[in-house]
Amino acid sequence: MWRDHLTEIIVFSLLFLLVSAMGFVAARWRAPRDMAHLDEWGLGGRSFGGWITWFLVGGDLYTAYTFVAVPALIFGAGAAGFFAVPYTIVIYPLVFLVLCRLWSVSHRHGFVTPADFVRNRFDSPILALLVAITGIVATMPYIALQLVGIEAVLKTMGVTGDSALARHLPIIIAFAILAAYTYQSGLRAPALIAFVKDSLIYIVILVAVIYLPYKLGGWGHIFDAADAKFKASPAPGDGILLNANNQLQYVTLAFGSALALFLYPHSITGVLASRNRDVIKRNMSALPAYSLLLGLIALLGYMAIAANVKPLPGAKAGSVDGNTVVPLLFDSQFPDWFAGVAYAAIGIGALVPAAIMSIAAANLFTRNIYKEYLKRDASPAQEANVSKITSLVVKVGAVACIVFLDPQFSIDLQLIGGVIILQTLPAVALGLYTRWFHRNALIAGWVAGMGLGMWMLYQIGNPATGKKHFAGSAFPLSEFGFDTKKTIYVGIVAVLVNLAVAALLTLVLRAAKVADGVDGTTPDDYFADEGDPRVTPGPDRDAESAREPVA
């Protein structure tokens, strides 16, 4: 009952209201010139310095779902859940220079989305549309999953009911508040709140990894308890170490997830809001500190085993909700007031990424669908207004996913989202370094990679849940005729096919001398920095006139 968690509810509510107030105040933070412009509303004036960017991007990538799902995965599946740690380390050296080039060309041309860049680089509205739709589709389940984190906390505190409305009303109220201050303050709201969110998470985790091992008998006992649990499983798989059949899946999932991370529109939004190239370089060097935090968060899964935590019942009869593992661990091992702080860290940890994700999806719709196909002469104020409204629609859609769908389905959708967003890698990431790929070949590669990826995902079932299709991203190599029980991450296979088709078809189209459009960028655009002259991009302008400086 909720009365047994009154102290936790009060602490959680007070901190939640505090950050909500900060969200509304953020509209006046850093003196925006004109909020009726996407540069201000959607990118915070492109003026964030090192500390703000560090908290914003970190708060964007390390979400409430990370806080509850990574330990829950380790609690239920063992060592395979640690894939999230190496991939967040591998990615930063890979994107250290890539993101600087993206920032520079976007600063020079005023790009707001990755699809803006693709439109100008390859002179292809169709390819830009595919990139925009891919980004929106991949982002939607990610937003819904932030609600899963909040719901796990509310369920642990007993703030739920028997009816669908009673069960979801707190989430609806929380996201209504989020929608209101995001509509008013834009990207400034999550940027300001990220300071509180990340500070709370660091405090909670550092206290947990010092206090819990002491209380549970030491790290040796924690790992022994985890090892004993997995060895006693009716169907032994991974334990505290990977088994041989999962090693290829682990490596490809970690690497594929790394490649996908900064292709997500919300990740790029945080980068484009930076003031200059040096801010990005410093952040790519410092952000691995979050990976240390993530490793500590992951260990909570083993601590929950040692603490004999029993997950709460799930939505389906006979199922359990693994996402409640971490909230229950804090509820059972800490004083009520500190558990309330931990719950607030998770809840606020959902608000920051959900806000950025909804803004990023709204910017994609506005710039690459509304302006490109519905109103080509839209003014900056009209663009900002459409983005604000679209961000509300996106949040309503995310809430609908939780209210009307099984949350487990949203988790499966997020796995699919990584496969989907990877198909933009040739156009966005490689496009920053080369114009060699033919625009039509990139479209064909996207179709091939997306088609193969969807087919592979459709073949994946899960006997434990009864799902026959789209039940994960680990594809059995036996389906390709190999005599092995090993699996591989679908996204890696799909993007390799994407690249192969794009490369081969480029050779054919170049030999046939098929027109390839005009590159709207110049080599020096990729090294522009703060203070360099800006140009006015646009689909109706030819490459030469597009380089005229803005007055």
Side-chain angles (χ1 to χ4, degrees):
M1 291 293 293
W2 64 269
R3 291 182 181 85
D4 298 328
H5 301 275
L6 188 59
T7 301
E8 298 166 358
I9 294 172
I10 291 174
V11 173
F12 175 87
S13 300
L14 288 175
L15 288 172
F16 193 92
L17 291 174
L18 170 64
V19 299
S20 297
M22 292 175 64
F24 287 106
V25 171
R28 302 177 182 275
W29 180 48
R30 300 178 65 84
R33 293 189 298 273
D34 181 11
M35 286 296 284
H37 196 292
L38 279 187
D39 271 9
E40 293 292 345
W41 183 84
L43 292 179
R46 301 179 189 259
S47 63
F48 293 159
W51 280 107
I52 299 174
T53 302
W54 191 75
F55 280 106
L56 178 66
V57 176
D60 185 16
L61 300 181
Y62 301 88
T63 68
Y65 180 64
T66 302
F67 204 131
V68 299
V70 172
L73 182 58
I74 289 171
F75 177 89
F82 279 101
F83 85 92
V85 179
Y87 99 69
T88 59
I89 297 173
V90 168
I91 184 58
Y92 296 114
L94 293 178
V95 301
F96 184 87
L97 297 177
V98 173
L99 292 180
C100 289
R101 293 175 70 89
L102 178 61
W103 183 91
S104 290
V105 71
S106 299
H107 169 78
R108 177 68 64 85
H109 289 269
F111 299 150
V112 176
T113 70
D116 282 348
F117 162 70
V118 170
R119 173 68 173 89
N120 214 40
R121 175 67 150 162
F122 295 100
D123 194 17
S124 175
I126 296 176
L127 183 59
L129 178 64
L130 291 177
V131 170
I133 293 174
T134 303
I136 293 171
V137 171
T139 300
M140 284 297 294
Y142 228 143
I143 302 174
L145 285 177
Q146 305 315 308
L147 296 175
V148 172
I150 296 180
E151 191 169 50
V153 167
L154 296 175
K155 186 184 292 186
T156 304
M157 292 191 296
V159 188
T160 55
D162 296 328
S163 68
L165 179 60
R167 188 166 64 252
H168 296 296
L169 184 59
I171 290 179
I172 295 172
I173 294 173
F175 254 53
I177 296 172
L178 169 67
Y181 65 65
T182 304
Y183 184 92
Q184 175 178 314
S185 304
L187 194 65
R188 283 176 169 80
L192 188 58
I193 294 172
F195 284 95
V196 177
K197 173 253 186 186
D198 289 354
S199 298
L200 283 177
I201 289 180
Y202 266 103
I203 291 171
V204 168
I205 296 304
L206 290 176
V207 170
V209 298
I210 294 172
Y211 175 73
L212 286 178
Y214 166 77
K215 187 172 183 181
L216 295 174
W219 285 108
H221 175 71
I222 290 171
F223 283 103
D224 287 343
D227 191 42
K229 174 197 172 181
F230 292 116
K231 285 182 178 178
S233 173
D238 290 328
I240 60 175
L241 297 176
L242 286 170
N243 68 51
N245 288 334
N246 281 348
Q247 291 173 4
L248 178 63
Q249 168 67 16
Y250 182 93
V251 171
T252 54
L253 177 58
F255 185 62
S257 299
L259 294 178
L261 186 61
F262 276 95
L263 291 172
Y264 278 105
H266 53 275
S267 303
I268 292 176
T269 295
V271 170
L272 296 186
S274 304
R275 183 169 59 223
N276 55 42
R277 289 167 60 95
D278 284 343
V279 168
I280 298 171
K281 291 177 181 179
R282 290 197 300 269
N283 270 272
M284 291 306 106
S285 300
L287 277 169
Y290 277 98
S291 298
L292 171 63
L293 182 68
L294 180 58
L296 299 177
I297 290 174
L299 290 172
L300 294 176
Y302 287 156
M303 295 181 198
I305 295 174
N308 200 30
V309 169
K310 304 296 182 186
L312 294 175
K316 292 183 179 180
S319 66
V320 295
D321 185 357
N323 293 314
T324 59
V325 166
V326 169
L328 287 170
L329 175 65
F330 282 98
D331 183 54
S332 64
Q333 301 296 319
F334 284 100
D336 289 349
W337 69 268
F338 190 80
V341 173
Y343 296 163
I346 297 174
I348 297 168
L351 299 183
V352 171
I356 303 171
M357 291 170 189
S358 64
I359 290 170
N363 289 345
L364 281 168
F365 173 82
T366 300
R367 290 296 291 259
N368 308 115
I369 297 177
Y370 173 77
K371 186 176 178 65
E372 181 78 41
Y373 295 98
L374 302 178
K375 191 173 178 62
R376 299 177 72 89
D377 60 345
S379 66
Q382 289 173 324
E383 286 183 13
N385 191 52
V386 170
S387 261
K388 290 179 179 180
I389 295 172
T390 304
S391 73
L392 298 179
V393 174
V394 168
K395 293 184 186 71
V396 171
V399 173
C401 286
I402 295 299
V403 173
F404 297 111
L405 297 177
D406 178 2
Q408 179 60 44
F409 183 65
S410 294
I411 295 170
D412 293 337
L413 282 180
Q414 196 274 330
L415 294 174
I416 297 171
V419 177
I420 291 173
I421 200 66
L422 262 177
Q423 306 317 309
T424 65
L425 184 145
V428 178
L430 298 185
L432 287 166
Y433 275 93
T434 179
R435 182 62 164 70
W436 179 78
F437 288 103
H438 194 284
R439 58 182 179 178
N440 294 337
L442 287 170
I443 293 172
W446 181 93
V447 171
M450 196 68 71
L452 177 63
M454 291 301 103
W455 175 82
M456 293 173 69
L457 291 167
Y458 181 80
Q459 305 301 317
I460 299 173
N462 187 346
T465 61
K467 290 192 66 175
K468 297 181 179 179
H469 309 291
F470 297 106
S473 59
F475 188 80
L477 287 176
S478 58
E479 294 288 332
F480 286 143
F482 294 97
D483 184 17
T484 179
K485 294 183 179 180
K486 293 183 179 180
T487 58
I488 190 169
Y489 177 50
V490 171
I492 284 290
V493 179
V495 77
L496 288 176
V497 170
N498 182 339
L499 286 167
V501 170
L504 291 173
L505 194 55
T506 293
L507 294 173
V508 173
L509 293 173
R510 294 268 186 246
K513 298 184 179 179
V514 176
D516 193 18
V518 179
D519 184 358
T521 69
T522 60
D524 66 301
D525 289 342
Y526 298 91
F527 300 94
D529 207 344
E530 182 182 17
D532 286 355
R534 299 280 294 277
V535 300
T536 303
D540 295 325
R541 299 166 60 89
D542 58 35
E544 196 60 39
S545 62
R547 297 188 179 95
E548 297 169 2
V550 175

